[in-house]
Amino acid sequence: MSTGTLLAVVIPVVVVIVLIALAIFLDRRRRRRLRERFGPEYERTVDEAGGRRAAEYDLGAREERHESLDIRPLDADLKQRYSHEWSGVQEHFVDRPESAVHEADRLVTDLMRERGYPTDDFEQRARDLSVEHGRALGHYRAAHEVDLLASDHRATTEQLRGAMIHYRVLFDELLSDGGRPGSGRS
């Protein structure tokens, strides 16, 4: 076999190997980025979608949708108003825990709307929130489940107390723009 023939075989094989290695590297980097960005929501989506590829496609679609939203930070006056409202909701918990959980859900929804999130459907709200607030999303889902139980008067006082704590986690993140400089779009 001549040197030219050998090179004609070896070079394409090496190129294919390099391309495969590059594809594997990029796939792993993308997966790591999605896991870091979405936190526990990544694994939840993998389980729900029935596989990693379908989940990553879904999470990518969430990112694209999120980019089209006009998410904006709150000014200081609005932050103060929402903080004051939250204090009122917490005070109501002592005498009317079910009502306070409903108020907390309403307040979180209002805050989301104020920040620019669409709020018509719970599942879509959760999907939209997952992009910037993936680590708090589990809290929101748990609180929402208790809110649904409370609507039928089936939630225990301990569940209601837990829901308030869960709502507070997302509320604080939304109020502080996720705690990241430059969060939200201008």
Side-chain angles (χ1 to χ4, degrees):
M1 188 180 280
S2 72
T3 305
T5 306
L6 187 60
L7 287 176
V9 171
V10 170
I11 290 175
V13 169
V14 169
V15 168
V16 168
I17 291 171
V18 168
L19 289 175
I20 290 171
L22 182 62
I24 290 170
F25 170 77
L26 293 174
D27 187 54
R28 286 183 180 168
R29 191 171 88 179
R30 180 173 188 264
R31 185 177 315 133
R32 184 175 50 251
R33 183 188 63 76
L34 288 171
R35 280 187 171 156
E36 288 172 4
R37 181 165 203 177
F38 287 92
E41 185 68 7
Y42 178 90
E43 293 303 328
R44 183 186 175 286
T45 305
V46 168
D47 291 342
E48 196 173 83
R52 184 181 52 78
R53 290 214 187 278
E56 290 176 359
Y57 179 80
D58 178 43
L59 296 172
R62 292 181 196 192
E63 287 177 320
E64 286 180 25
R65 175 180 159 83
H66 190 271
E67 283 297 313
S68 72
L69 300 176
D70 183 24
I71 307 302
R72 54 198 171 272
L74 299 176
D75 64 37
D77 290 339
L78 280 173
K79 285 182 181 184
Q80 186 173 11
R81 188 188 96 206
Y82 277 103
S83 290
H84 180 73
E85 282 188 55
W86 182 264
S87 295
V89 169
Q90 286 182 305
E91 289 173 16
H92 293 157
F93 184 81
V94 174
D95 296 323
R96 299 182 342 256
E98 282 183 350
S99 176
V101 168
H102 296 316
E103 290 175 38
D105 182 73
R106 178 204 49 82
L107 186 58
V108 166
T109 302
D110 290 349
L111 180 53
M112 288 172 56
R113 187 177 305 111
E114 191 80 49
R115 292 279 319 275
Y117 288 97
T119 58
D120 296 332
D121 172 66
F122 174 78
E123 282 305 318
Q124 188 59 55
R125 281 191 307 244
R127 292 172 58 80
D128 291 339
L129 282 171
S130 70
V131 177
E132 285 191 22
H133 305 283
R135 299 202 186 284
L137 190 55
H139 291 281
Y140 184 46
R141 288 183 191 281
H144 183 72
E145 286 179 28
V146 174
D147 185 46
L148 294 175
L149 288 173
S151 295
D152 295 334
H153 308 290
R154 295 184 302 137
T156 67
T157 303
E158 188 61 28
Q159 287 173 314
L160 295 167
R161 186 185 72 72
M164 292 296 290
I165 293 168
H166 288 309
Y167 276 128
R168 181 64 190 245
V169 170
L170 180 59
F171 179 84
D172 285 345
E173 266 203 31
L174 288 168
L175 199 63
S176 69
D177 303 330
R180 292 183 307 275
S183 287
R185 292 164 34 127
S186 305

